[in-house]
Amino acid sequence: YRGGLNPAGLAALLIGVAPSLPGFLAAVAPAMAPAIPAPLTALYPYAWFVGFAVSGTVYALLSTRALPAQQPELCSR
């Protein structure tokens, strides 16, 4: 954590939302729909599943790289 935030979690959230954003924009502003590629709009109905999979994968990868250098002792002997 840095300043009360988990950078890996924040990055996973932003990257997980990104694939569903074009479909959301097409649903909110139908005039923009023709400009958005069909495969990107097809992901929007599955946004929860796509976001979960992408965010989970990104978080797992980032959290394994950001291991703390030294973990505190849980109990002293």
Side-chain angles (χ1 to χ4, degrees):
Y1 287 93
R2 292 185 185 133
L5 292 174
N6 184 346
L10 189 57
L13 171 69
L14 295 175
I15 294 170
V17 168
S20 302
L21 212 56
F24 174 74
L25 291 174
V28 171
M32 291 178 58
I36 299 173
L40 293 178
T41 58
L43 286 177
Y44 185 61
Y46 307 104
W48 194 94
F49 302 106
V50 172
F52 181 79
V54 171
S55 293
T57 302
V58 169
Y59 184 76
L61 291 173
L62 290 177
S63 65
T64 58
R65 290 176 171 237
L67 292 175
Q70 182 180 11
Q71 295 188 3
E73 293 285 331
L74 294 178
C75 61
S76 59
R77 293 182 187 181

